[in-house]
Amino acid sequence: MSAASRCRVCAGTVQEFFDFGRQPLSDAFPRPGDTADEFFFRLAIGMCDGCTMVQLMEEVPRDRMFHADYPYVSSGSSVMRKHFEAVAERFLATELTGPDPFVVELGCNDGVMLKVLAEAGVRHLGVEPSGGVAEMAAGKGIRVRNAFFEESTATEIAAADGRADVIYAANTLCHIPYIESVFRGVGALLAPTGVFVFEDPYFADIVERTSFDQVYDEHFFFFTARSVHAMAARYGLELVDVERLPVHGGEVRYTLAPAGSRRPSSSVVELLAEERAAGIASTATLHRFADSVQGIRNDLVALLARLRQEGKRVVGYGATAKSATVTNFCGIGPESVAFVCDTTPAKQGRLMPGSHIPVLPPERFADPYPDYALLFAWNHAEEIMAKEHAFRDAGGKWILYVPEVRVV
Ligand code: SAM
Ligand code: TMP
Ligand code: ZN
């Protein structure tokens, strides 16, 4: 029997299609010996039978996830740094050519994108509730407001700074269950000629690659062109452009503008047609996805059990938020993955959420190299495998589990 909940966009019925069970907060890394009061919730995902928006069945209170100790730092990947610099350069060349343009970024994190605009002298504001990363942004000379973006924040910004030519959010809008308040805020803040641009993991890519580990507490929504098109229309906005992005395992950048203000590009109609042809909102697709997820779990658990029996040493690479879903859903602990190495100082010396696998600095990877490395940061595979080429040269092997379990 599957559960149902109320859609956070249209109030329709959300039908559950996968239950990952009891899961911890994906970005809460407890100190050794400090695991008694870990927070757990039921991680399950469903699709609205009204507007097709894919969403979590249960919401985690936002202050539990986004606070002064939120450990994710956007500049941690050189590929992502380049990605965001290119975003800023594109805005400078397109949307920000008028007199005194104004840009607001939701979830600016450590300021990786806004830094370029600040240096170009563009009037800007980052809205970032996580105090630690907000401070890092401020340290780079970026104007930051340490708050959650919602309707009240937006009206205050509009009153103080005027309307925005660009409102931008990367890997942030999908984190916000109270999306209605965000859209009302965008309505109050966006200039009539402005654009609301956001990029997030694309549900069609998640299904195609069975990248089930994109499902965790912070990722509340999983967008498609169809669901975003319908959502935009509820708030007097129109989807005028979509662009597929290779980052984070497949994303889409959606551009919304006040309805009728811009001519939608052909890419919108094309992606909507592609989604229809792929049956992305069909029950059969969701069942197939659920079967594939179970298959990956079985294969990964079997592989790790065999390696353990053979006495091989396995470590993890990248203490990603995604890896919380994998380790907890598959029951992977320190007995099969000795430790996980990660470049983020705030994660080092801590334990992985729920599984309590220790997190160590990347220097420990080669000290000595393990037989196998389970690549939790598979979305950064190219960057990491290039950097760690000596591991392969020394006979080490990578274990990947998306789109299927394989050793390379
Ligand atoms: N934009 C960066 C990137 O793409 O690397 C950061 C993404 S990070 C995964 C999500 C960010 O959204 C966090 O820094 C978090 O604090 C922020 N956030 C969460 N809720 C928010 C809200 N209501 N308004 C603004 N930012 C929010
Ligand atoms: P993400 O998948 O959410 O971007 O998180 C990537 C994690 O992997 C983050 O904790 C930083 C870590 N990481 C490394 O340890 N080494 C690397 O080379 C890269 C790119 C990321
Ligand atoms: Zn709905």
Side-chain angles (χ1 to χ4, degrees):
M1 198 186 71
S2 72
S5 68
R6 192 110 341 272
C7 175
R8 298 300 298 259
V9 176
C10 79
T13 305
V14 181
Q15 303 289 354
E16 183 175 314
F17 62 83
F18 202 85
D19 183 357
F20 292 91
R22 194 171 164 268
Q23 290 276 342
L25 302 176
S26 61
D27 265 319
F29 292 78
R31 289 191 176 79
D34 198 12
T35 54
D37 57 355
E38 251 185 315
F39 177 87
F40 286 89
F41 73 109
R42 188 177 81 93
L43 180 68
I45 183 173
M47 180 180 275
C48 172
D49 59 16
C51 72
T52 75
M53 183 64 82
V54 176
Q55 56 204 283
L56 296 190
M57 305 302 291
E58 279 183 26
E59 171 185 350
V60 171
R62 62 188 190 179
D63 306 284
R64 283 198 177 268
M65 299 184 282
F66 309 114
H67 43 64
D69 296 323
Y70 180 68
Y72 185 75
V73 179
S74 301
S75 298
S77 152
S78 62
V79 170
M80 291 313 296
R81 277 201 300 277
K82 285 198 203 91
H83 172 81
F84 288 122
E85 280 156 18
V87 169
E89 296 295 347
R90 170 105 74 94
F91 282 144
L92 284 171
T94 55
E95 301 295 333
L96 304 175
T97 54
D100 191 28
F102 178 45
V103 179
V104 176
E105 183 179 5
L106 323 185
C108 70
N109 199 272
D110 66 346
V112 63
M113 195 286 288
L114 281 182
K115 182 169 177 285
V116 180
L117 299 185
E119 282 168 2
V122 172
R123 209 153 56 80
H124 64 274
L125 181 68
V127 183
E128 177 50 72
S130 298
V133 287
E135 262 174 45
M136 289 183 196
K140 293 173 184 158
I142 291 156
R143 201 172 148 242
V144 199
R145 182 177 171 133
N146 185 205
F148 287 96
F149 185 91
E150 55 195 326
E151 189 178 11
S152 57
T153 333
T155 49
E156 283 168 31
I157 297 168
D161 295 304
R163 301 275 185 140
D165 300 286
V166 172
I167 301 178
Y168 175 68
N171 308 298
T172 295
L173 195 66
C174 75
H175 291 54
I176 308 182
Y178 43 100
I179 200 156
E180 193 188 344
S181 173
V182 169
F183 268 94
R184 281 200 306 264
V186 167
L189 181 58
L190 192 65
T193 51
V195 282
F196 177 29
V197 181
F198 53 94
E199 50 193 71
D200 288 288
Y202 182 39
F203 184 62
D205 284 330
I206 293 174
V207 168
E208 201 203 305
R209 296 168 195 187
T210 320
S211 41
F212 66 96
D213 54 351
Q214 292 281 12
V215 185
Y216 54 88
D217 55 350
E218 294 171 23
H219 285 175
F220 189 84
F221 288 114
F222 301 86
F223 300 134
T224 59
R226 177 170 168 182
S227 61
V228 168
H229 185 266
M231 176 167 66
R234 301 178 71 84
Y235 300 100
L237 295 169
E238 191 174 6
L239 180 60
V240 296
D241 195 30
V242 287
E243 195 183 338
R244 294 185 76 158
L245 307 171
V247 297
H248 289 314
E251 300 206 326
V252 169
R253 178 180 295 146
Y254 304 90
T255 301
L256 272 47
S261 69
R262 295 193 187 204
R263 200 190 152 92
S265 84
S266 58
S267 60
V268 175
V269 177
E270 284 160 19
L271 194 58
L272 287 168
E274 214 177 285
E275 289 177 359
R276 249 194 321 275
I280 194 64
S282 77
T283 315
T285 298
L286 303 180
H287 283 158
R288 231 181 4 256
F289 170 76
D291 287 347
S292 304
V293 176
Q294 293 292 5
I296 289 181
R297 170 159 74 172
N298 296 343
D299 292 349
L300 186 58
V301 168
L303 173 64
L304 292 175
R306 177 168 67 77
L307 295 178
R308 203 175 151 205
Q309 229 166 27
E310 291 171 1
K312 303 289 190 209
R313 203 167 145 259
V314 181
V315 311
Y317 205 107
T320 57
K322 294 186 285 297
S323 64
T325 298
V326 181
T327 50
N328 289 283
F329 176 60
C330 300
I332 300 169
E335 69 293 338
S336 42
V337 173
F339 64 86
V340 180
C341 55
D342 194 285
T343 48
T344 316
K347 297 181 183 179
Q348 296 164 359
R350 304 286 189 105
L351 303 176
M352 295 273 286
S355 68
H356 302 163
I357 301 170
V359 183
L360 300 176
E363 296 73 51
R364 295 292 294 274
F365 187 50
D367 183 26
Y369 280 127
D371 300 303
Y372 291 82
L374 178 52
L375 186 58
F376 288 124
W378 54 264
N379 47 317
H380 302 290
E382 218 172 297
E383 179 173 352
I384 291 172
M385 286 183 182
K387 185 163 71 178
E388 299 287 5
H389 63 90
F391 168 56
R392 267 259 224 12
D393 298 345
K397 294 194 171 76
W398 292 100
I399 300 172
L400 294 162
Y401 52 86
V402 166
E404 72 264 312
V405 176
R406 63 196 197 284
V407 175
V408 296

